[in-house]
Amino acid sequence: MAEIKAIFIILVLTLVSLVLIPLQWIAIRLRLPVQRKLPHVWHLVATRLVGIRIREEGAPADDRPLLIASNHASWVDITVVGSLMPLSFIAKSEVSGWPIFGLFAKLQRTVFVNRTRRTETGQVADTIATRMAAGDAMVLFAEGTSNDGNCVLPFRSALLGAATRAVANGNGSSVWVQPLSVAYQGFYGLPMGRAHRPHVAWYGDMELAGHLWGIFRHGALDVIVRWGTPVLVDGTTDRKVLTRQLENQVRAMTIASLLQKPVDSGELEPSEFFSNAEKTAKAGA
């Protein structure tokens, strides 16, 4: 039965893709607003078919420009996060060359980063800043790699500079950066536990095709997504301090989700991390 289910999912997703791919290609070429929404529809269909149940706590910021900084355990994160709202991702350049996934990433209007060429970081940050200024919510997997789903790795500050660069380039006086936690809690309605979390986590030298087939055969995942406190970034914001704040928030939310307990609010908002712009906003609230 599991094999039949997997084949059914692949067939339906193929049919949906054959309909949406040409529509998205046209929307991108003609710069139609629907180019933001069609990938969202695909991810909604995919999560429903696979049986991924998502519990969302908190909400994405309504304000723009917006950069979302998330943890990263698996390629499944992309479908989970993509099903929440219209958005685009920031990914390593190698993804653009992957079969099928590379095409989907391009159609999602992903910004690709070549991590071996640090001289391009500023140019990529400018591209991300321009996209945010145009109203696109951009998602950055700030660890720079995926992990086993049981922890949050240190965040890298380089591309978080896109937020401060957006301000410096005159794309507004401030930019919102919001932390996001994705945690896999259950499998077929039962607690997943540390030992079984690699079923969904994709990291190291795991083969993509085999992992993908396994998810299609044994979906039924329970995921909790937590939105953290948005941080208002202005020209005075220190990029490294911002990185630490976001990392602390995401780690606290992820640990709470894995342990199935409330988030310790004291860990989420260390006051010394607030930018001048955010202090002003809080004072005027």
Side-chain angles (χ1 to χ4, degrees), residues 5 9 47-53 185-190 192 199 214-223:
K5 174 191 173 185
I9 292 173
T47 53
R48 301 299 189 277
L49 279 173
V50 175
I52 300 174
R53 298 187 300 183
Q185 285 188 329
F187 185 46
Y188 283 98
L190 300 174
M192 187 174 291
H199 167 76
I215 292 295
F216 286 164
R217 289 181 72 247
H218 306 291
L221 302 172
D222 295 315
V223 188

Side-chain angles (χ1 to χ4, degrees), residues 71-92:
N71 63 315
H72 190 28
S74 173
W75 58 266
V76 183
D77 300 342
I78 296 170
T79 297
V80 169
V81 177
S83 70
L84 302 177
M85 60 184 283
L87 43 73
S88 292
F89 292 91
I90 301 165
K92 59 185 181 181

Side-chain angles (χ1 to χ4, degrees), residues 66-283:
L66 176 64
L67 177 66
I68 300 166
S70 175
N71 63 315
H72 190 28
S74 173
W75 58 266
V76 183
D77 300 342
I78 296 170
T79 297
V80 169
V81 177
S83 70
L84 302 177
M85 60 184 283
L87 43 73
S88 292
F89 292 91
I90 301 165
K92 59 185 181 181
S93 58
E94 296 97 300
V95 174
S96 65
W98 289 359
I100 302 177
F101 278 82
L103 173 62
F104 285 170
K106 292 172 184 175
L107 290 173
Q108 181 110 25
R109 300 165 61 239
T110 298
V111 174
F112 296 105
V113 181
N114 189 336
R115 293 183 298 183
T116 63
R117 298 182 180 178
R118 295 184 178 274
T119 55
E120 295 183 5
T121 301
Q123 181 181 351
V124 172
D126 284 340
T127 300
I128 297 169
T130 300
R131 288 281 298 276
M132 289 193 298
D136 288 329
M138 302 297 299
V139 178
L140 171 66
F141 292 119
E143 296 159 292
T145 186
S146 55
N147 60 58
D148 65 3
N150 292 309
C151 64
V152 174
L153 301 176
F155 279 14
R156 298 184 178 184
S157 65
L159 287 177
L160 283 169
T164 52
R165 189 174 289 260
V167 176
N169 288 353
N171 293 323
S173 59
S174 58
V175 173
W176 290 97
V177 183
Q178 186 168 19
L180 176 67
S181 165
V182 180
Y184 297 90
Q185 285 188 329
F187 185 46
Y188 283 98
L190 300 174
M192 187 174 291
R194 176 179 291 272
H196 295 92
R197 202 157 283 119
H199 167 76
V200 63
W202 182 64
Y203 61 102
D205 297 325
M206 287 184 176
E207 181 187 352
L208 179 58
H211 195 270
L212 182 67
W213 178 253
I215 292 295
F216 286 164
R217 289 181 72 247
H218 306 291
L221 302 172
D222 295 315
V223 188
I224 180 167
V225 174
R226 278 182 158 126
W227 294 94
T229 306
V231 180
L232 188 58
V233 174
D234 66 6
T236 68
T237 302
D238 185 296
R239 186 183 69 192
K240 293 185 177 181
V241 173
L242 171 66
T243 301
R244 290 200 304 273
Q245 178 187 358
L246 296 170
E247 180 186 325
N248 286 345
Q249 282 209 51
V250 173
R251 180 171 289 112
M253 291 188 294
T254 303
I255 290 174
S257 296
L258 295 178
L259 297 178
Q260 300 190 34
K261 69 175 187 178
V263 182
D264 183 349
S265 60
E267 294 183 36
L268 291 184
E269 296 188 342
S271 59
E272 68 270 24
F273 286 148
F274 290 140
S275 69
N276 289 343
E278 189 164 6
K279 290 177 182 176
T280 301
K282 287 178 176 290

